[in-house]
Amino acid sequence: MTDITGQDRVLIFDTTLRDGEQSPGATMSHAEKLEIAELLDDMGVDIIEAGFPIASEGDFRAVKEIAERSRDAVICGLARANPTDIDRCWEAVRHAARPRIHTFIGTSPLHRAIPNLTQDEMAERIHETVSHARNLCDNVQWSPMDATRTEWEYLKRVVEIAIKAGATTINIPDTVGYTAPVESADLIRRLIAEVPGAEEIVFATHCHNDLGMATANALAAVAGGARQIECTINGLGERAGNTALEEVVMALKVRNDIMPWTTGVDTTKIMNVSRRVATVSGFPVQFNKAIVGKNAFAHESGIHQDGMLKNAETFEIMRPEDIGLASTSLVLGKHSGRAALRAKLQDLGYKLGENQLKDVFVRFKELADRKKEVYDEDIIALMRAGEDAANDHLVIQSLRVVCGTGGPAEAELAMTVGGAEKQATARGDGPVDATFRAVREIWPNEAHLELYQVHAVTEGTDAQATVSVRLEEEGNIATGQSADTDTVVASARAYVNALNRLIVRRGRLGEDQKEISYKDAG
Ligand code: KIV
Ligand code: ZN
């Protein structure tokens, strides 16, 4: 195998900002993308796929600025197999200290049928586009999309063409999450053994989770000789998502006895990055998610608790500190001062200026007055609610709801729309329905409510409720989240948060977001 990475080093390629952001409803703002890229660079990710520069002006600007600010990580942009995409991608990534162009084309029979290219025509296209990319940049990644459903002989042929044309990394995507671990390992092993020139380049694995096997497939590919894993934080991504960064990194760390490969990721930063991605993407982490789920280190049953008290290793294969999780999350109360709050926020990965801290402190005090014990999760929820308000078109000013037995609920809402104050009163079937109707009185919209979900952030009747709302409008999906000790207030904020995200999305479409199809004709 190659010494580009070293035998026992696996490169971590994070595509949260490209493949992850592609998942319906996970739109991130420009500032949020910059922040996530900085966190990824900081935690030691080797390559950051920062976006798809041809997709829109916004995507281009984000990739360019991430490239300009990058420190150690290679900054990569995605491009379809045509010169226009590749040139645009290069324009954005070339500002990085270490740029990479990632170009791809769908090689399976189903995907070849879309641009209606014969095998020979597609082979020619691959040669031309990879050569074009390589003339611009000496770090070029090429992917045969849907590789795992591509005929073996054809896959070998096109991988060889891409290597000859100058690709330095060949990524083998399991685009629809179809492969199984034994196959995944075998595919990489055979490509390395049979394709001329394979020993000169790095093979990467890119797995989707449709059958829940993405992480297992990625690790199997490494056993087969892959030395780059493509993944996203929290496994964010289209459909069932991608290989989760935290899972592969921790699996390699905890089971280094049988998987003797290392990564450059500082695992103690995992929890913070996971929380930030959950917040900015609007995709909460499921409670029982491996490594970063709320219950991943929780022990409920008597036997488990007893074992844990005697020796934590009885029921834990890694320590909470290994992923940056404080062993206890009880932190602040109403007597805590500004310095304690600042220290806690820093611990949780938030960097605030003095003015922001002042504002958060006021909201923290309000919360601490209502709630005896303020946990990490409460602080994160508080920050999320504050961030939402900062740049939003719609901002809730006040809400009063009357509800109970014997009649419809009534909501009185004051909200600013682009800074202008508006008020409405509405009745509904329960307090949440009345509140949502009041929002629609002020901001009429056709968005369809696809999901409404309530979770308690911590325990007790004074716990904050986190509400998630998912809206759909003309094919655009946006999720919103908020938390408050009052479930109706949290619901109103989550609904308005999702509407604000739809507004951002409309704005992006307005600025000439291209219909990104994987049809490759250029
Ligand atoms: O899943 C996939 O095939 C992709 C490619 C663009 C690499 O994301
Ligand atoms: Zn993908």
Side-chain angles (χ1 to χ4, degrees):
M1 200 16 229
T2 174
D3 61 3
I4 293 175
T5 63
Q7 272 292 335
D8 57 2
R9 176 85 149 77
V10 175
L11 299 173
I12 296 296
F13 175 110
D14 183 280
T15 182
T16 306
L17 296 172
R18 199 278 298 168
D19 214 331
E21 212 235 359
Q22 238 165 268
S23 58
T27 312
M28 298 178 205
S29 72
H30 184 77
E32 287 165 348
K33 287 182 187 176
L34 299 188
E35 185 200 337
I36 298 299
E38 192 180 333
L39 290 174
L40 293 171
D41 207 342
D42 234 34
M43 88 190 287
V45 160
D46 299 284
I47 304 114
I48 298 172
E49 187 161 54
F52 200 166
I54 196 81
S56 70
E57 264 310 303
D59 275 55
F60 177 83
R61 264 188 286 119
V63 178
K64 179 168 179 275
E65 206 167 327
I66 289 169
E68 284 163 352
R69 292 166 171 231
S70 61
R71 288 190 307 267
D72 301 322
V74 171
I75 304 300
C76 174
L78 186 68
R80 289 168 300 182
N82 67 67
T84 317
D85 269 40
I86 293 169
D87 291 346
R88 189 75 176 143
C89 178
W90 175 239
E91 264 311 297
V93 296
R94 73 185 172 83
H95 306 273
R98 304 168 68 203
R100 174 181 292 187
I101 297 174
H102 176 193
T103 181
F104 75 99
I105 195 163
T107 51
S108 66
L110 282 164
H111 285 266
R112 288 201 304 270
I114 298 173
N116 197 17
L117 295 178
T118 64
Q119 288 197 352
D120 288 347
E121 286 164 347
M122 183 167 282
E124 181 57 28
R125 172 77 65 85
I126 293 164
H127 174 75
E128 282 167 8
T129 50
V130 175
S131 305
H132 182 74
R134 187 56 204 263
N135 283 335
L136 298 170
C137 181
D138 60 10
N139 189 337
V140 172
Q141 172 166 327
W142 179 73
S143 298
M145 186 166 71
D146 206 16
T148 53
R149 293 193 299 168
T150 299
E151 305 91 322
W152 166 245
E153 287 302 329
Y154 190 57
L155 183 64
K156 255 190 351 180
R157 176 178 168 200
V158 289
V159 166
E160 183 178 349
I161 289 171
I163 294 174
K164 285 212 173 103
T168 44
T169 300
I170 299 287
N171 176 39
I172 300 298
D174 182 29
T175 305
V176 290
Y178 178 73
T179 205
V182 274
E183 266 178 345
S184 179
D186 210 42
L187 186 59
I188 302 283
R189 196 174 291 122
R190 288 177 68 199
L191 284 169
I192 292 173
E194 296 183 31
V195 175
E199 63 295 342
E200 302 297 327
I201 55 108
V202 172
F203 274 87
T205 176
H206 177 114
C207 301
H208 281 266
N209 204 31
D210 299 65
L211 291 173
M213 295 195 284
T215 296
N217 284 334
L219 293 169
V222 172
R227 287 295 175 270
Q228 175 179 301
I229 298 178
E230 307 211 353
C231 48
T232 60
I233 301 291
N234 301 338
L236 195 65
E238 300 218 54
R239 307 184 310 279
N242 290 59
T243 301
L245 179 146
E246 61 279 6
E247 291 178 9
V248 283
V249 168
M250 289 310 290
L252 288 174
K253 184 170 173 149
V254 173
R255 293 310 313 273
N256 199 251
D257 54 334
I258 54 156
M259 296 185 286
W261 304 287
T262 56
T263 74
V265 171
D266 175 353
T267 63
T268 64
K269 304 219 161 137
I270 283 178
M271 206 57 217
N272 278 337
V273 184
S274 161
R275 284 170 170 159
R276 289 304 290 147
V277 168
T279 302
V280 303
S281 66
F283 274 56
V285 174
Q286 80 197 48
F287 282 12
N288 57 341
K289 173 102 175 65
I291 321 289
V292 291
K294 188 171 184 283
N295 290 355
F297 292 92
H299 303 277
E300 183 80 33
S301 84
I303 295 176
H304 284 212
Q305 286 181 348
D306 186 49
M308 284 296 296
L309 289 173
K310 293 185 173 124
N311 178 357
E313 283 180 30
T314 48
F315 290 102
E316 275 181 3
I317 56 169
M318 55 202 144
R319 295 169 311 156
E321 305 87 272
D322 294 341
I323 60 156
L325 190 64
S327 44
T328 165
S329 79
L330 177 60
V331 275
L332 304 172
K334 69 176 177 185
H335 301 298
S336 307
R338 201 178 300 191
L341 179 64
R342 181 194 284 112
K344 187 63 198 167
L345 286 166
Q346 266 166 5
D347 249 24
L348 293 173
Y350 295 97
K351 288 186 210 151
L352 301 192
E354 272 313 306
N355 284 343
Q356 280 171 303
L357 182 67
K358 223 191 258 171
D359 173 54
V360 177
F361 189 63
V362 171
R363 288 187 289 121
F364 160 72
K365 280 288 181 188
E366 279 168 11
L367 179 65
D369 273 344
R370 281 183 283 150
K371 211 173 172 294
K372 239 183 15 234
E373 294 164 332
V374 179
Y375 294 81
D376 286 4
E377 292 85 348
D378 291 315
I379 307 262
I380 292 161
L382 192 79
M383 291 302 296
R384 183 179 298 153
E387 281 168 350
D388 292 342
N391 305 307
D392 288 346
H393 190 63
L394 309 175
V395 181
I396 291 177
Q397 300 298 322
S398 67
L399 173 67
R400 291 213 76 75
V401 181
V402 181
C403 65
T405 53
E410 189 171 280
E412 237 179 76
L413 175 72
M415 196 163 90
T416 53
V417 177
E421 179 123 4
K422 313 250 176 188
Q423 293 189 348
T425 302
R427 290 176 159 210
D429 190 4
V432 175
D433 186 47
T435 303
F436 285 15
R437 283 172 190 266
V439 171
R440 284 196 295 274
E441 281 281 312
I442 295 177
W443 180 255
N445 67 83
E446 298 292 315
H448 167 64
L449 182 67
E450 283 200 332
L451 173 105
Y452 170 75
Q453 225 170 38
V454 183
H455 290 296
V457 173
T458 49
E459 275 146 34
T461 51
D462 68 347
Q464 291 204 89
T466 287
V467 177
S468 303
V469 164
R470 185 173 152 112
L471 299 176
E472 189 273 337
E473 181 196 60
E474 292 172 7
N476 285 322
I477 293 173
T479 47
Q481 269 193 0
S482 193
D484 198 278
T485 49
D486 184 322
T487 309
V488 183
V489 171
S491 303
R493 291 212 183 106
Y495 183 46
V496 167
N497 180 223
L499 285 173
N500 279 317
R501 284 173 184 264
L502 273 180
I503 293 167
V504 169
R505 183 122 184 89
R506 276 189 217 154
R508 273 172 113 195
L509 291 172
E511 72 175 21
D512 190 26
Q513 168 126 11
K514 302 207 174 45
E515 175 83 10
I516 287 300
S517 79
Y518 290 124
K519 190 162 166 271
D520 304 293

